[in-house]
Amino acid sequence: QGKYGDALKLHHQALEIFKKLPNHLYFVGSCYHNIAQVLKNQGRYDEALENYQKTLTIQREIFPEGNPGIAATCNEIGAVLR
């Protein structure tokens, strides 16, 4: 729908809620990923890359190497860097 500002606001609200919960890293990483997707769609590539990097850092902390989520985030980072 192209309501990027609304989407970012909601993703940031969710991020702040998840950060306060126990065992929150998976959901925090998901929020960073969603924020990165919106920023990428807006052409805000540096900000998108920063959020994808946060996602990747969290994923590497909670998943074993070779996890498909890690691979998908690496793929997204590569797409931003093209």
Side-chain angles (χ1 to χ4, degrees):
Q1 293 182 343
K3 297 180 181 178
Y4 298 121
D6 292 340
L8 280 175
K9 181 179 177 183
L10 290 167
H11 290 313
H12 281 287
Q13 285 176 358
L15 177 63
E16 293 309 310
I17 293 167
F18 285 130
K19 282 181 174 181
K20 295 175 185 172
L21 299 175
N23 303 316
H24 64 282
L25 281 180
Y26 174 84
F27 298 105
V28 169
S30 179
C31 288
Y32 283 128
H33 179 84
N34 291 335
I35 291 167
Q37 291 285 82
V38 173
L39 293 168
K40 184 176 104 176
N41 289 339
Q42 288 183 299
R44 295 164 62 183
Y45 300 114
D46 290 339
E47 293 171 85
L49 184 59
E50 180 182 323
N51 281 276
Y52 280 132
Q53 292 288 0
K54 290 177 182 179
T55 302
L56 187 59
T57 298
I58 290 170
Q59 288 174 327
R60 287 191 166 146
E61 186 175 331
I62 63 175
F63 296 134
E65 194 61 39
N67 178 277
I70 293 172
T73 301
C74 288
N75 193 48
E76 292 288 350
I77 291 170
V80 170
L81 292 173
R82 289 188 267 204

